[in-house]
């Protein structure tokens, strides 16, 4: 019985890490946000390659049309873990707090995702809800250094949007860009 709680914690954390590793690439269509929803690659009308470096994106801005489905190919040429997240400025501010918590608790490191549960500092987690610590938003994906990922998004509603890296310090250093809508 004494091993039950640590084993349950390990299982819960492992489930969270599996979700982080899968990221938005596995998000199924149908989970919509006010400005859009995930889509399937074969539905894409355009492919845009986004190169991530420490700490910038190329290109620095995007232009999309309402209803357009874009397949983003995300190439991390930097030495740090980066995120590609589509959202409003308010959404990014909230997500930055979540990402800071994930870093603080060892789920994320500067260069990747912590896949080794035994090295996490569980003493700092207190009464925190482990279910809250995951990176599974359909409008976001984490990309480790030297890796490539993809996110397919249907832009449904013109609004003030930007793409950003919400890993602590990255957004503040300029790793964000506007998403402009055309008719």
């Amino acid at each position: 019985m004494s091993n039950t709680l640590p084993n349950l914690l390990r299982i819960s954390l492992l489930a969270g890490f599996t979700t982080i590793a899968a990221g938005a690439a596995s998000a199924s269509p149908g989970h919509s946000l006010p400005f859009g929803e995930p889509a399937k690659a074969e539905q894409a009308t355009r492919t845009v390659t986004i190169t991530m470096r420490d700490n910038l994106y190329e290109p620095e801005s995007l232009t999309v049309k309402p209803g357009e489905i874009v397949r983003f190919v995300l190439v991390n040429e930097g030495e740090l873990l980066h995120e590609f997240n589509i959202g409003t400025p308010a959404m990014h501010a909230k997500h930055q707090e979540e990402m800071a918590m994930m870093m603080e608790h060892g789920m994320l490191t500067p260069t990747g995702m912590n896949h080794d549960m035994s090295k996490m500092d569980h003493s700092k987690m207190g009464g925190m809800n482990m279910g809250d610590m995951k990176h599974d938003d359909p409008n976001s994906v984490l990309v480790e250094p030297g890796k490539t990922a993809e996110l397919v998004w249907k832009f449904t509603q013109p609004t003030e949007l930007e793409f950003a890296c919400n890993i602590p310090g990255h957004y503040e250093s300029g790793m964000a860009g506007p998403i402009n809508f055309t008719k």
Side-chain angles (χ1 to χ4, degrees):
M1 187 87 170
S2 64
N3 284 335
T4 304
L5 187 57
N7 286 338
L8 287 175
L9 182 58
R10 254 187 228 104
I11 290 167
S12 174
L13 288 171
L14 183 56
F17 279 110
T18 302
T19 302
I20 290 170
S26 66
S28 60
H31 182 101
S32 64
L33 291 168
F35 54 83
E37 61 191 35
K40 295 180 180 178
E42 59 269 13
Q43 298 173 310
T45 54
R46 177 168 57 129
T47 298
V48 174
T49 299
I50 304 284
T51 303
M52 305 159 127
R53 295 196 176 92
D54 305 327
N55 283 327
L56 61 90
Y57 291 110
E58 290 178 7
E60 296 177 350
S61 65
L62 299 169
T63 302
V64 299
K65 297 176 186 171
E68 183 175 22
I69 298 174
V70 179
R71 175 179 167 253
F72 294 100
V73 176
L74 309 157
V75 181
N76 187 345
E77 293 183 356
E79 295 181 21
L80 301 171
L81 176 68
H82 291 298
E83 177 188 45
F84 181 80
N85 184 301
I86 300 169
T88 65
M91 290 172 70
H92 289 300
K94 182 174 180 351
H95 190 56
Q96 288 164 21
E97 293 173 10
E98 297 165 351
M99 295 292 279
M101 183 184 303
M102 292 170 75
M103 282 287 239
E104 181 181 331
H105 295 293
M107 291 184 75
L108 299 177
T109 70
T111 59
M113 296 165 271
N114 184 353
H115 300 284
D116 185 356
M117 304 303 131
S118 66
K119 292 184 180 175
M120 287 182 59
D121 184 357
H122 300 286
S123 67
K124 292 182 180 177
M125 293 183 183
M128 174 172 121
N129 180 356
M130 295 311 296
D132 291 342
M133 290 197 45
K134 54 189 171 186
H135 193 273
D136 65 349
D137 298 325
N139 56 318
S140 179
V141 65
L142 290 170
V143 187
E144 293 180 315
K147 304 285 184 185
T148 299
E150 100 175 19
L151 184 143
V152 183
W153 195 257
K154 179 178 182 180
F155 293 90
T156 57
Q157 183 76 357
T159 189
E160 182 183 1
L161 286 180
E162 59 188 6
F163 57 97
C165 181
N166 293 298
I167 292 173
H170 294 207
Y171 185 93
E172 296 81 0
S173 68
M175 198 165 183
I179 298 176
N180 304 302
F181 283 86
T182 63
K183 294 185 181 193

